């Protein structure tokens, strides 16, 4: 274990010196200041992708820290025991791509309700995108999100900051200062940085900051008026089409722009099968390119839009079977290393608009784990340890959260832990959702696998 | 509306099959007419056969006496709305018009609210026209009374498809059985953005006709073949092979209307079209082109016509034109649709 790893992210008191004290001031903290009771998670299959650990063991937690991992750990009086036989005990799940809507659109979601949805789904950390109102384009707004999270969210929240002011693609933000404020990445998500000139400046500034740049890959002039995937269905339904090429050419362009810059470049919510191949080639050439896949792009096609189902309206859109297969294959062969929900809450009123007028997006935090398991593990494409890695270690590295000790489960490390029942059958229904919004195309779906306990900084927040 | 029919339309949550439905396969949402895509030949013919009975004024019974049909037009229309009104009146009912409610931001809620309010007043049916695709089916999910789609965005305009089929069958002496087998129909213009084109394609296909879509790639993309139609760029090559040419209206930017009046080249809404000159050169139906059509072949247009652009006046008013027959057919098929759904 590295010596600079922060020991717990709770408030640094006089008796808990932190080697990252300077970071602590700007690091979002969990709300409670009182100490949670000591805890033993007993007899689960402990998986830690960082160390390669995969064995049945107990995990002892005290004061926000994993004190011991081993067989038959002693349980002293007053220590809470969570029985975890046949359960997976894994590092707290991390979602590097959510929309929490605060500030500005609190009728859809808040940092508090989004955080509640996250922990219900087993996530202990989420990274929220900057397309709020105002956009998260200054260190002050990053501070605001982190302070609100500390005050209201049961999970850790890190802001991904905007690359351009107001996300307009015209003027650079203070990327160096955003990084110092603790931003987890740089992105204009929701909009693509369309200008190649601006994009190369953004890549250079982001590279210097040490953060990753996360691109929403959408060539805007090809997608004006688009409401769904461009194909036979959009033609029949009389809806504007969003062609695959609008995603692919941005990835191609950015990979080329980045050759002499070397910024860590991350493709958000990859949707086109051909995009996967572009990322695969770039990675094979040794470029610092990564990509994420979302549950809906791993399971659904544009068929879900039939009947003008606005809960299936998402950007980038649901595509065709061959795209779903290619995205899954990208996960299986390691081209796609990160899983991200793109949790995008919208109110019932907004999603009741005509399809063309309804906003893009669907929620995912509560349902993601089961849906990933269905798409990737039940199909035999990857195993549970790899799935866990893609939901912990990989997003932690992407967002520099590994430097805070997040994304791993190790003695002396941060006690962010998720306990998963991999076989639990359940049906997705409104009663399962903690989000303020209900916009999911998976309502009523029978699934398997669920987080049964979510532990943030040593505190059981659900379960 | 009257007290008499209030209980009749209300409280009928469990729908009972009307005699009309029993004889047709109007699936899947039988109470409404939202589109023609799901209708087979028998279903289309049953509407057209019913429309034919209304050719004789004496056969028309005031079946809608005392009842109201609401024309809920969120988008401008004159002829379609008038045609529906006339159809309602001829069946003995009253037509009321509600227009323009979709002009402001909260279109969706306003739209659904307007529809449910109108329904609560006890109307026999709602005829809806909207700027966005899918609005008719959206409203149909929220109300119990029949919903008739009078055009939703770029999706469908089913009564237009029916009237095109009715008019063509009449002109081709196929009005007895509405079998259009062996006929070949060209649809020319901005097919991809046209709700008329979709419904007409479905109607023609259901009745056995072949369809060829003609236009520039931006308006008649190859992907149209998924609708089981041919696609061509060559109007001159297609015209001699068809029994009917349906010319679609080109939509212009309103701000360029003045330039249009002066005969200048106009900016056209449809992306990918360089100029009116180019369009006219390639796709306008001129008298010279019309002369190369088969002797019996007819020219159709859903209206309103941009004379001199997609269709020359001499052709529009010439012997091949059945445009006014289409207008007359419109009232008959709309009577049939209203009668069937409200019967």
């Amino acid at each position: 274990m590295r010596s600079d790893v922060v020991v717990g992210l709770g408030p640094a008191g006089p008796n808990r010196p932190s080697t990252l004290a300077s970071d602590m001031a700007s690091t979002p903290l969990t709300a409670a200041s009182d100490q949670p009771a000591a805890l033993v998670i007993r007899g689960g299959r402990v998986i830690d992708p960082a160390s390669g650990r995969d064995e049945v063991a107990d995990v002892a937690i005290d004061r926000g820290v994993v004190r011991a991992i081993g067989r038959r750990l002693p349980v002293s009086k007053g220590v809470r025991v969570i029985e975890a036989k046949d359960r997976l005990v894994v590092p707290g799940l991390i979602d590097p791509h959510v929309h929490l809507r605060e500030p500005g659109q609190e009728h859809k979601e808040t940092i508090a309700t989004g955080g509640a949805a996250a922990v219900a789904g087993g996530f202990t950390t989420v990274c929220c995108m900057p397309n709020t109102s105002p956009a998260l384009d200054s260190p002050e707004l990053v501070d605001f999100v982190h302070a609100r999270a500390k005050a209201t969210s049961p999970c850790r929240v890190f802001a991904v900051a905007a690359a351009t002011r107001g996300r307009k693609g015209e003027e650079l933000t203070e990327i160096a200062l955003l990084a110092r404020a603790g931003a987890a990445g740089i992105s204009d998500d929701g909009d693509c940085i369309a200008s190649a000139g601006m994009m190369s400046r953004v890549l250079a500034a982001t590279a210097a900051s040490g953060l990753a740049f996360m691109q929403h890959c959408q060539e805007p002039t090809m997608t004006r008026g688009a409401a769904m995937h461009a194909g036979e269905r959009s033609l029949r339904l009389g809806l504007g089409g969003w062609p695959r090429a609008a995603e692919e050419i941005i990835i191609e362009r950015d990979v080329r722009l980045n050759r002499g810059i070397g910024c860590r470049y991350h493709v958000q919510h990859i949707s086109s099968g051909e995009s996967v191949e572009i990322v695969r080639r770039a990675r094979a050439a040794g470029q610092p390119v990564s990509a994420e896949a979302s549950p809906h792009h791993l399971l659904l096609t544009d068929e879900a839009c039939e009947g003008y189902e606005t809960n299936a309206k998402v950007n980038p859109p649901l595509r065709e079977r061959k795209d779903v297969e290619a995205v899954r294959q990208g996960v299986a062969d390691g081209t796609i290393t990160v899983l991200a929900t793109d949790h995008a809450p919208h109110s019932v009123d907004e999603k009741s608009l005509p399809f063309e007028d309804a906003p893009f997006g669907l929620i995912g935090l509560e349902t993601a784990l089961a849906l990933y398991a269905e798409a990737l593990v039940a199909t035999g494409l990857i195993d549970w340890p790899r799935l866990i890695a893609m939901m912990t270690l990989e997003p932690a590295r992407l967002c520099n959260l590994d430097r805070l000790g997040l994304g791993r489960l190790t003695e002396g490390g941060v006690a962010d832990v998720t306990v998963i029942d991999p076989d639990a059958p359940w049906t997705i229904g409104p009663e399962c959702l903690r989000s303020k919004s209900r916009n999911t195309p998976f309502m009523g779906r029978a699934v398997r696998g669920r987080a049964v306990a979510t532990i943030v900084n040593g505190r059981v927040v659900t379960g | 509306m009257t007290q008499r029919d209030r209980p009749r339309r209300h409280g009928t949550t469990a729908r009972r099959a009307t005699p009309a439905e029993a004889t047709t396969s109007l699936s899947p949402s039988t109470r409404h007419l939202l589109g023609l895509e799901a209708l087979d030949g028998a279903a289309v013919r049953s509407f057209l056969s019913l429309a034919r009975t209304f050719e004789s004024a004496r056969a028309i019974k005031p079946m809608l006496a005392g009842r109201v049909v609401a024309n809920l037009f969120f988008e401008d229309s004159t002829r379609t709305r008038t045609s529906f009104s006339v159809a309602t009146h001829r069946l003995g009912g009253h037509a009321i018009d509600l227009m323009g409610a979709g002009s402001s931001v909260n279109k969706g809620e306003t739209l659904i609210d307007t529809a449910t309010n109108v329904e609560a007043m006890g109307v026999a049916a709602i005829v809806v026209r909207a700027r966005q695709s899918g609005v008719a089916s959206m409203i149909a999910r929220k109300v119990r009374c029949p919903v008739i789609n009078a055009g939703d965005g770029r999706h469908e305009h089913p009564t237009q498809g029916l009237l095109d089929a009715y008019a063509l069958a009449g002109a081709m002496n196929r009005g007895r059985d509405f079998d259009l087998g062996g006929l070949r129909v060209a649809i020319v213009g901005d097919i991809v953005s046209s709700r008329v084109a979709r419904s007409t394609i479905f109607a023609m296909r259901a009745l056995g006709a072949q369809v060829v879509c003609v236009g520039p790639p931006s308006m008649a993309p190859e992907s149209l073949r998924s609708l089981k139609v041919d696609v061509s760029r060559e109007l001159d090559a297609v015209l001699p092979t068809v029994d009917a040419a349906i010319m679609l209206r080109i939509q212009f930017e309103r701000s360029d209307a003045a330039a249009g009046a002066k005969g200048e080249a106009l900016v056209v809404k449809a992306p990918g079209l360089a100029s009116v000159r180019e369009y006219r050169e390639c796709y306008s139906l001129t008298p010279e082109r019309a002369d190369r059509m088969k002797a019996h072949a007819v020219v159709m247009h859903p209206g309103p016509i941009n004379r001199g652009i997609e269709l020359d006046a001499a052709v529009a008013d010439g012997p091949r034109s059945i445009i006014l027959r289409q207008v007359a057919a419109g009232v008959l098929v709309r009577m049939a649709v209203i009668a069937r759904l409200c019967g």
Side-chain angles (χ1 to χ4, degrees), chain B:
Chain B
M1 71 155 289
T2 66
Q3 289 296 328
R4 181 165 60 82
D5 49 46
R6 191 186 299 270
R8 185 172 168 194
R9 298 315 306 175
H10 271 269
T12 50
T13 41
R15 54 177 302 277
R16 70 208 139 79
T18 64
E21 285 168 6
T23 58
T24 64
S25 50
L26 256 185
S27 62
S29 52
T30 43
R31 267 179 316 159
H32 311 294
L33 182 67
L34 306 176
L36 300 183
E37 186 183 359
L39 268 58
D40 61 11
V44 172
R45 282 188 189 98
S46 81
F47 279 119
L48 302 185
S49 305
L50 184 55
R52 187 179 51 207
T53 67
F54 298 137
E55 295 261 14
S56 149
R58 264 178 298 179
I60 302 170
K61 298 191 183 72
M63 55 180 300
L64 282 186
R67 296 171 74 188
V68 173
V69 173
N71 295 326
L72 196 49
F73 276 56
F74 296 107
E75 187 186 58
D76 288 347
S77 157
T78 306
R79 70 183 60 208
T80 300
R81 181 169 48 80
T82 306
S83 178
F84 269 106
S85 294
V86 171
T88 297
H89 285 297
R90 291 192 62 193
L91 291 170
H94 294 285
I96 54 163
D97 292 336
L98 295 96
M99 292 179 289
S103 55
S104 66
V105 235
N106 283 330
K107 296 157 223 130
E109 275 308 89
T110 306
L111 202 141
I112 292 288
D113 282 349
T114 309
T116 53
N117 273 271
V118 167
E119 188 204 16
M121 295 171 197
V123 299
I126 293 175
V127 178
V128 62
R129 156 74 59 100
R131 178 177 60 76
Q132 309 97 329
S133 303
V135 165
S137 54
M138 202 171 113
I139 289 176
R141 281 196 294 271
K142 299 285 184 183
V143 301
R144 289 194 294 267
C145 70
V147 173
I148 299 166
N149 183 3
D152 62 327
R154 288 170 283 180
H155 176 224
E156 282 221 45
H157 188 357
T159 56
Q160 180 74 42
L162 292 175
L163 77 86
D164 284 349
Y166 189 92
L168 179 62
M172 295 288 135
N173 275 324
R174 307 284 187 107
R176 187 175 299 277
D177 54 5
F178 298 105
D179 183 346
L180 302 184
L183 298 184
R184 185 167 158 86
V185 177
I187 304 178
V188 185
D190 189 0
I191 289 117
V192 78
S193 306
S194 171
R195 52 193 172 214
V196 170
R198 276 176 190 70
S199 290
T200 298
I201 287 168
F202 295 136
M204 297 296 173
R205 296 277 309 135
L207 298 178
Q210 284 186 324
V211 176
V212 52
C213 294
V214 186
S218 56
M219 297 179 167
E222 289 293 325
S223 56
L224 285 170
R225 291 183 192 278
S226 63
L227 302 180
K228 299 192 178 71
V229 298
D230 292 337
V231 175
S232 172
R233 312 268 163 254
E234 301 299 329
L235 183 61
D236 289 318
V238 166
L239 279 177
T241 71
V242 299
D243 302 286
I246 301 176
M247 309 306 294
L248 298 180
R249 171 183 160 74
I250 301 301
Q251 309 236 347
F252 297 100
E253 296 284 4
R254 289 179 204 289
S255 56
D256 288 323
K262 283 183 274 170
E264 310 278 329
L266 300 185
V267 177
V268 173
K269 257 184 189 172
L273 193 63
S275 72
V276 167
R277 178 173 72 171
E278 182 189 68
Y279 184 84
R280 193 156 34 192
E281 190 70 24
C282 298
Y283 301 107
S284 176
L285 189 52
T286 58
E288 297 73 38
R289 281 189 168 124
D291 283 347
R292 291 197 290 274
M293 296 175 77
K294 292 179 188 173
H296 68 275
V298 296
V299 172
M300 302 167 67
H301 194 295
I305 306 167
N306 292 306
R307 286 174 181 256
I309 296 176
E310 69 267 7
L311 189 56
D312 269 21
V315 182
D317 304 329
R320 291 185 186 279
S321 170
I322 61 164
I323 292 170
L324 293 177
R325 187 197 277 259
Q326 287 175 273
V327 175
V331 173
L332 299 177
V333 300
R334 285 172 181 128
M335 288 171 73
V337 169
I338 293 168
R340 167 118 335 142
L341 299 183
C342 300

Side-chain angles (χ1 to χ4, degrees), chain A residues 253-296:
Chain A
R253 179 200 74 174
D254 290 352
V255 165
R256 184 162 288 260
L257 277 174
N258 196 33
R259 269 187 200 165
I261 298 172
C263 182
R264 285 192 295 139
Y265 174 80
H266 180 71
V267 176
Q268 297 184 302
H269 41 50
I270 200 163
S271 70
S272 155
E274 193 57 34
S275 295
V276 178
E277 181 54 27
I278 297 166
V279 172
R280 185 177 287 125
R281 284 203 307 270
R283 289 170 67 88
Q287 299 212 52
V289 174
S290 61
E292 70 189 28
S294 303
H296 42 282

